[in-house]
Amino acid sequence: MQSLITATRRASLACAISVALFAPGLAAAQTASDAAQDQRIQQLESEVSALKDMVLNQQSQLADARSRLEAATVPGNTPLKGPGVQGSGAIVTAPPAQASPALGAGAPPRAPIQNTAIVAGGDSHFSYGGFIKLDMMSTYTSDGAIADSTPGRLFYFPAATPVDAGPGKSYTDFHAQFSRIWFGVDRVTDAGDKLKGYVEFDFFGGGNSNVGNEKFSNGYPPTLRHAYVQWNHWLAGQTWTNAMDLGSLPETVDFVGIVDGTLFARQAQIRYSTGNWSFSLENPQTWYQDGSPTQVSSGENNVPDVTARWTTKGNWGHFSVAGLARQLRTADDSTAGYALSVAGSFKLSDTDLLQYTVSGGPGLGRYIGFGLIPDAYIEQDGRLKAQDGYAGFAAWRHNWTGNLRSTLAYSAAYISTDESAVGQLATERTQSWRVNLIYSPFPRLDVGAELSWAKRQLANDAEGELNRLQTTVKYTF
């Protein structure tokens, strides 16, 4: 019995010693585990905080992009402001004080299709747009045919109207070559500098015979229209000439419509704008006549074309004056050319708008009517002389309802032709009328029809006429 008691006491003592020896180790192990867990928790909290900062930064960028896009979709504006950016329903957007042609005066802004801009990286914002346009036209010419697969079959080209070229002809053409797409990127630096890049293409390609054909594929190559960069007050690249007033151009179903009377040139340049003024140095080129109506390109210019334009705007519309000075040069001689252009728009009422341009001077030349007027010609004594030319148009737009409108336009050009130097078959004057009706059943979708009449007259008084019915379906995105 005594031995049992002694054994029990020894066992209890062994257990107590074991607990005394191992308990501190267990406690130390537990303490190490807790410390590791605390460290992991702190690491997770740090990662969560970093993710939160990243999300907040992204939300800030998206909010900024959204505000920029919403500002861009106000009628009369575009996602990127610049000489080439175009909108629905017109060749160019109307002045900011005007309502959208498709919506009419006083209509609410269009809702944007895309609520956020695409972020190209950092503080740069990428955007894109364009339109899909189907043109369907039936044409009659009184004095011969316009050759197939040439520009005159796709849109009004004054110099292409046949005169004394045979019996009257009629033909029908469908195409979508004036559909276009543009891409842009803009950013504002931390120092407040504004930078923009813009590139635009259509599929005209110089006419049907360039690459595509109408036999089975109707495939046409992209054609560069605009490619420029802007930073603050400067622009460098290819775009509309600074002498051209985009806000004065009326809405037509035809590609341009009032071609006879408008300045129209896209070319490489460097431009500086400040306040109401803009100045540019632009690509020079001389097209002249040497003993015949055919225009010859010299490629001899060594001084850029110089332009200056002043513009003022208000709730009443806008007004601009532009001047052009040029060197006209061939391999054998050179002279100077000058021109002046006055253009603008005037709001007649909430539903009526007058748009106009008047231009003239010796040296106006290729800037008018797709090169209708030559820059110069060789006189009988062999000297180069700047060609006098004058052109203009007037257009009246009326909004019948919020989504139905019409434009009535007249345009004309006159060339002071020297018959003794260039012959009696040179073009002396052209003119055209057009009236259209355009309906927008949905925002950004335009369906329109246009009747037009045009006449070209030669120096010998021979004339040829063109009559055309053109319809279109156009979706702007």
Side-chain angles (χ1 to χ4, degrees):
M1 185 67 173
Q2 182 65 36
S3 60
L4 179 59
I5 293 173
T6 300
T8 301
R9 287 177 178 176
R10 289 177 178 174
S12 299
L13 180 60
C15 288
I17 292 173
S18 297
V19 171
L21 291 174
F22 291 105
L26 293 173
Q30 182 63 39
T31 301
S33 176
D34 291 343
Q37 186 175 14
D38 291 341
Q39 184 179 3
R40 180 57 179 163
I41 290 173
Q42 290 177 358
Q43 183 180 355
L44 289 173
E45 289 177 346
S46 177
E47 292 175 355
V48 169
S49 178
L51 286 172
K52 181 178 179 182
D53 291 341
M54 185 174 65
V55 170
L56 291 175
N57 183 53
Q58 185 70 14
Q59 287 177 341
S60 176
Q61 291 185 12
L62 291 175
D64 177 65
R66 184 179 294 108
S67 64
R68 294 165 63 85
L69 184 66
E70 289 173 352
T73 51
V74 173
N77 291 338
T78 49
L80 276 180
K81 292 182 180 179
V85 180
Q86 306 190 359
S88 172
I91 294 177
V92 297
T93 55
Q98 301 168 193
S100 166
L103 295 178
R110 291 178 174 141
I113 291 179
Q114 182 175 312
N115 289 325
T116 59
I118 298 175
V119 179
D123 55 357
S124 296
H125 298 271
F126 175 80
S127 56
Y128 68 94
F131 58 76
I132 299 168
K133 188 174 191 287
L134 170 66
D135 288 303
M136 302 163 284
M137 62 196 75
S138 178
T139 305
Y140 173 79
T141 46
S142 64
D143 288 68
I146 300 174
D148 190 21
S149 301
T150 60
R153 293 285 291 264
L154 306 178
F155 57 93
Y156 175 48
F157 199 97
T161 302
V163 178
D164 278 351
K169 296 288 184 178
S170 60
Y171 20 83
T172 297
D173 297 282
F174 285 26
H175 71 89
Q177 290 177 248
F178 294 132
S179 300
R180 69 187 58 160
I181 186 168
W182 58 261
F183 303 93
V185 61
D186 65 334
R187 70 184 287 256
V188 179
T189 67
D190 294 337
D193 295 308
K194 298 179 180 179
L195 293 96
K196 297 177 184 290
Y198 184 87
V199 179
E200 180 178 297
F201 302 89
D202 66 14
F203 303 91
F204 171 46
N208 288 352
S209 61
N210 189 15
V211 173
N213 63 76
E214 298 180 70
K215 188 173 184 179
F216 59 89
S217 67
N218 289 269
Y220 304 105
T223 305
L224 179 67
R225 290 171 52 85
H226 302 272
Y228 63 82
V229 59
Q230 287 179 280
W231 67 98
N232 296 331
H233 299 283
W234 291 92
L235 178 148
Q238 175 172 306
T239 190
W240 299 115
T241 172
N242 182 54
M244 184 177 178
D245 186 322
L246 301 179
S248 70
L249 297 181
E251 180 180 21
T252 59
V253 172
D254 184 82
F255 175 55
V256 177
I258 37 78
V259 178
D260 322 74
T262 189
L263 287 164
F264 188 99
R266 287 189 303 268
Q267 57 195 13
Q269 62 190 272
I270 183 165
R271 182 188 304 181
Y272 180 79
S273 302
T274 178
N276 293 344
W277 288 93
S278 56
F279 309 88
S280 69
L281 299 177
E282 305 190 10
N283 180 60
Q285 189 73 10
T286 300
W287 288 81
Y288 67 100
Q289 294 172 320
D290 186 3
S292 75
T294 303
Q295 294 188 26
V296 182
S297 176
S298 74
E300 299 289 337
N301 292 79
N302 53 23
V303 177
D305 292 359
V306 180
T307 78
R309 184 160 64 95
W310 179 81
T311 305
T312 184
K313 299 178 181 180
N315 293 332
W316 48 271
H318 83 285
F319 175 79
S320 72
V321 180
L324 170 67
R326 309 173 58 195
Q327 177 200 56
L328 305 175
R329 190 168 186 259
T330 68
D332 303 313
D333 196 9
S334 67
T335 187
Y338 307 93
L340 185 69
S341 181
V342 175
S345 62
F346 186 77
K347 187 178 179 181
L348 301 173
S349 69
D350 288 341
T351 58
D352 296 276
L353 182 70
L354 174 67
Q355 296 166 286
Y356 61 91
T357 292
V358 179
S359 309
L364 184 63
R366 65 180 178 86
Y367 283 80
I368 286 291
F370 300 148
L372 173 66
I373 303 177
D375 296 320
Y377 63 93
I378 305 296
E379 295 184 291
Q380 288 183 305
D381 60 5
R383 293 184 302 174
L384 183 68
K385 184 176 181 180
Q387 175 67 66
D388 276 309
Y390 306 90
F393 72 83
W396 167 49
R397 191 189 74 207
H398 176 72
N399 290 339
W400 302 99
T401 66
N403 55 4
L404 183 67
R405 69 268 186 198
S406 292
T407 296
L408 172 66
Y410 173 77
S411 63
Y414 171 75
I415 307 169
S416 183
T417 304
D418 184 345
E419 298 179 34
S420 63
V422 300
Q424 293 189 334
L425 298 182
T427 300
E428 186 174 71
R429 69 178 70 233
T430 67
Q431 59 180 315
S432 65
W433 284 92
R434 64 194 61 251
V435 61
N436 60 47
L437 184 65
I438 300 175
Y439 175 61
S440 298
F442 308 103
R444 302 177 182 269
L445 178 65
D446 300 328
V447 180
E450 182 171 275
L451 284 170
S452 62
W453 168 89
K455 177 187 288 187
R456 182 165 75 100
Q457 180 179 324
L458 306 183
N460 63 3
D461 294 330
E463 300 176 345
E465 296 185 8
L466 177 148
N467 296 275
R468 176 170 286 168
L469 169 63
Q470 182 170 349
T471 58
T472 190
V473 177
K474 175 183 175 184
Y475 176 68
T476 303
F477 57 90

